[in-house]
Amino acid sequence: MTQNRVINALSYLSILFLPVLFPLIVWLLTSTNPEAHRAAGRAFWLHLLPTILGIAMLVILGVSGIYMDNLVNSGWLAIVLLSIFGLVAVASYLWSIIRGIQYLVAD
């Protein structure tokens, strides 16, 4: 159905204009439409993934900062965690755009 394709595409492409919030609203409002509900739920978690990873990274850095007395090791840990966070954030962003375009051009 064309309406589902547009809603599904907007759920993923909302990474550009209203990440997390738009897919959450669509997910909450489409409980009677399983296809749109599933796509919005997946888009919501895909948009939320970098935030969850960022919070986990901050917790790890905070805890390690308490127990590490060597600043060099703390610095390397921060660089590695920031690199992982950056890769996941960029991958999530690009995958959201790809999935949104796939829904728009699907037959």
Side-chain angles (χ1 to χ4, degrees):
M1 187 175 350
T2 304
Q3 182 182 10
N4 279 345
R5 285 187 11 214
V6 172
I7 291 172
N8 294 347
L10 284 175
S11 292
Y12 280 102
L13 292 175
S14 69
I15 193 84
L16 301 171
F17 58 90
L18 200 57
V20 178
L21 190 58
F22 185 82
L24 178 63
I25 292 170
V26 171
W27 185 61
L28 292 173
L29 296 178
T30 58
S31 60
T32 59
N33 184 346
E35 183 184 346
H37 188 74
R38 183 175 44 255
R42 288 180 180 162
F44 169 73
W45 286 108
L46 185 63
H47 296 183
L48 195 61
L49 179 66
T51 304
I52 294 170
L53 186 63
I55 292 169
M57 182 191 72
L58 288 174
V59 168
I60 291 169
L61 283 174
V63 170
S64 70
I66 293 171
Y67 292 109
M68 280 189 192
D69 54 350
N70 187 348
L71 190 59
V72 173
N73 290 340
S74 247
W76 279 110
L77 178 63
I79 289 171
V80 168
L81 289 176
L82 282 173
S83 299
I84 293 170
F85 173 74
L87 288 173
V88 169
V90 168
S92 173
Y93 184 82
L94 291 176
W95 186 246
S96 290
I97 292 173
I98 289 168
R99 288 297 294 159
I101 292 171
Q102 285 176 342
Y103 274 113
L104 286 178
V105 298
D107 292 333

